[in-house]
Structure formats: C-alpha cells, structure tokens
Amino acid sequence: MKFYTFLAPLSIMALSSFFSSESYAQQSGLQEENGIIYIEPLFQYPVAPEELLSLEDKSNWLMEHFWDSFDFKSKNAVDQNALNDAFNVYSHPMRWADKDVVLKSTDKLLATISKNPVLMLQFTKAAEENLYGPRAMAYIDEVYVKYLDALEKVKKISPERKSRYVRQNKILKNSMIGTIPPHFTFETPTGAKETFRPGLLTVIEFGDPDCSDCRHAKLKMDTDLRFSELVEKGKINVLFIIPDPEEGWQTQLAGYPKLWHSGASDEVSDIMDLRSTPFFYVVGTDGRIIDKTENVEKAMTTAIESVK
C-alpha cells in the first residue's frame, strides 16, 4: 500500500538519476557558483544497492537506511538549510516505498531525536518544508502529523515555539483522507446561513473568484460533459466556498452555476487544511474525505469514479 499524495511531477530522466550515485552528488555548503547555491551536505547520502532493480525495492531500502551514517549522538544542532536538503532527498522515495516501511522509518527517526528538543524542532521544520509547505514536492500528511505529534510531547520546547505546529496538527487531523471533516457554517449570496454536513458525494472547492486558477477550475467543472451530467442528476454536489471573505464577495458569485451551492465562511480556514488556492476536497456518501488536492481534474476524476 502506498501513500495518497499530490505531487509535483518528476521527469523520467530525473527519476532514474535520483537513484544513481550521481543523484546524491552532494549538492549542498551555502556556496554560490555561477548563480547557483550549493549546500554542504550533513553526511554522505546513501545509494540503494544496484542489485535492487525495482523502484519500490530501492525506495524501501532508502527508507530503512537513509540516516545510518548520520551521527545523531554528536549533534546538538545542525545547519537548518543542510538538514532541509537532506530531508528533501529522504522524502522523495516515500512516494514509491511501501507505506508500512515509510511509517516505520519515521517512527525510528522520531524515537532517535525525541530527547533532543533542538533536533526535534529542526527536523519538524525540515518535514514542514518538504511534506507540507508551499515548496514541498509531495504532501504526505500521515507522515507529517507524526512529527507534529512528537513535537507536542517535548516538554522542553516552549508553547510559543509549538503554537503554529499545534494549529497545523489540529487542522490536518480534521482534513486527512479517510476522516470525516467537521461541520462548518457558510453564508450564501442571499444572506442565508447554511451548514455543510457530510452525506452527499460532494466536491468542495475553497477558492477566490478573482484568482485565475479558480476561474479555470470553474470553467473545467462547468463544461466537462460527464461531470456536469452527474451534477444535473444530483449524483455529485458541488460546493464553492470563499474562505475569509472580503466585502462585496456576494457579487463575485453571481455568475456561478445555479446547481452549485456557493457562499463564504469566515471560520473554515481555522478548521480545514487550505494551504493553497484553489483547494479541493472530495467527500464521499459516507461522509469521509476521499481525496484532497490542488488539481481540479484530479478532484473531478475522483468524484466521477466514486459515483455508484
């Protein structure tokens, strides 16, 4: 079983070189050469044995052995940029490794650093950079929340330093695939108050009518024949929500399809994971999140395939 993630694409060339000895060509002290910044690596990154032929086997091996040569005992703190770079390399194989192997590797790493509050905070920052933040190549919530859980348990880290991660943890656990999202209220353009309660197969788009990607998503959902037909038949419900609305938002929704439900909510950004705009959730008839993605085509495909 693999993780459900939404990914930045890798070319075949990049993918093949990633697992070769050249791929870990230590690209990292912050040194600048010809306009390119190189970061001195914390340690020699491992390369999967050549006798392992499949991408899955290579990825599993890297998950199990990536940190073998890193001397945790002698490190009270490390260069954050170098750690971010190392974690970036470490996180790539998570997409192809077995889920159980990734989680076991994560648990082992966290157990190793749990008694060092400085490293715990630094590794959580690196995990945020590579698994959650805007520069992440893959969003893997189930792994990232393990770092957030572990960080919350470290008593020597002040509540002030933990606060943003505590908030992330709460929001992510409301919004992970397989969970039932919380109810939230929203106001319709006519001023009515409504509450979203999971139950129907629903595509929720959290967006802003002024953003170009949101306009593109509206056009895609409104003109796709198969998707529109299922909306017309009541098989798929579409909900468009403006988080943290500004004055005049009602007029921006005037041209939205009549069969969609739309409105604005000033509370939803505090309870749901909305790390980009637009952001889509597909909620199944059992009330659980089937998919979460930045990609409208992926959301539509998931919804269409979920219609029974």
Side-chain angles (χ1 to χ4, degrees):
M1 183 177 181
K2 301 295 185 292
F3 281 103
Y4 289 97
T5 62
F6 25 117
L7 317 170
L10 286 179
S11 68
I12 295 298
M13 183 178 296
L15 181 59
S16 61
S17 66
F18 176 75
F19 289 96
S20 70
S21 58
E22 291 84 359
S23 68
Y24 298 138
Q26 313 307 327
Q27 37 175 336
S28 308
L30 286 171
Q31 301 172 4
E32 186 168 354
E33 181 179 326
N34 297 325
I36 300 175
I37 296 177
Y38 296 88
I39 305 172
E40 185 67 29
L42 291 175
F43 60 99
Q44 182 73 30
Y45 302 155
V47 177
E50 293 183 3
E51 57 266 25
L52 297 177
L53 301 180
S54 74
L55 181 59
E56 179 181 337
D57 287 344
K58 289 178 182 290
S59 298
N60 285 339
W61 187 94
L62 287 166
M63 285 292 94
E64 293 169 343
H65 298 284
F66 186 82
W67 301 101
D68 285 358
S69 62
F70 183 67
D71 184 6
F72 289 95
K73 292 182 180 180
S74 66
K75 305 291 186 183
N76 291 321
V78 295
D79 179 84
Q80 188 67 52
N81 289 308
L83 180 58
N84 290 350
D85 181 76
F87 203 100
N88 175 267
V89 178
Y90 171 61
S91 65
H92 274 65
M94 289 182 183
R95 290 180 269 179
W96 302 286
D98 289 331
K99 179 178 178 179
D100 289 344
V101 175
V102 176
L103 294 178
K104 184 177 179 180
S105 173
T106 302
D107 290 339
K108 180 181 177 181
L109 175 58
L110 289 171
T112 302
I113 62 176
S114 62
K115 294 183 180 180
N116 184 327
V118 176
L119 279 184
M120 185 71 246
L121 185 58
Q122 287 195 298
F123 267 87
T124 302
K125 288 179 178 179
E128 178 183 24
E129 174 81 7
N130 290 286
L131 301 177
Y132 178 82
R135 289 184 291 273
M137 292 292 288
Y139 297 158
I140 310 180
D141 295 347
E142 194 169 346
V143 172
Y144 184 50
V145 295
K146 282 183 169 287
Y147 286 85
L148 300 177
D149 285 340
L151 183 74
E152 283 194 45
K153 294 176 183 178
V154 180
K155 295 180 180 179
K156 292 184 179 180
I157 298 177
S158 69
E160 291 75 19
R161 289 202 167 191
K162 289 181 181 178
S163 60
R164 64 192 299 267
Y165 296 111
V166 170
R167 182 179 184 275
Q168 286 178 4
N169 202 9
K170 179 182 178 181
I171 290 174
L172 275 177
K173 286 180 177 176
N174 284 339
S175 313
M176 292 175 65
I177 291 174
T179 64
I180 297 176
H183 299 177
F184 61 86
T185 60
F186 62 95
E187 182 182 348
T188 70
T190 61
K193 298 288 186 180
E194 295 189 12
T195 300
F196 170 71
R197 293 182 175 89
L200 297 174
L201 176 59
T202 302
V203 175
I204 310 174
E205 178 186 352
F206 294 102
D208 179 348
D210 282 338
C211 96
S212 59
D213 288 339
C214 299
R215 290 196 296 269
H216 168 75
K218 172 180 174 289
L219 182 64
K220 289 290 293 185
M221 286 193 285
D222 197 25
T223 59
D224 184 278
L225 293 179
R226 178 63 175 145
F227 186 81
S228 296
E229 180 184 7
L230 291 171
V231 172
E232 289 175 4
K233 290 181 177 180
K235 300 290 186 179
I236 296 176
N237 177 44
V238 178
L239 178 61
F240 181 87
I241 297 294
I242 303 173
D244 304 316
E246 297 182 356
E247 186 176 355
W249 62 266
Q250 294 89 343
T251 59
Q252 294 178 306
L253 296 176
Y256 274 66
K258 293 182 179 180
L259 291 177
W260 292 16
H261 295 83
S262 59
S265 174
D266 56 8
E267 68 175 37
V268 72
S269 60
D270 291 323
I271 59 176
M272 296 286 287
D273 174 25
L274 308 178
R275 70 188 83 172
S276 66
T277 301
F279 207 78
F280 300 89
Y281 283 86
V282 183
V283 182
T285 55
D286 64 352
R288 297 186 181 277
I289 297 171
I290 303 171
D291 201 2
K292 54 187 291 191
T293 179
E294 298 170 320
N295 187 295
V296 62
E297 286 89 353
K298 187 171 184 287
M300 291 167 56
T301 299
T302 299
I304 291 170
E305 292 176 349
S306 299
V307 172
K308 296 181 180 179

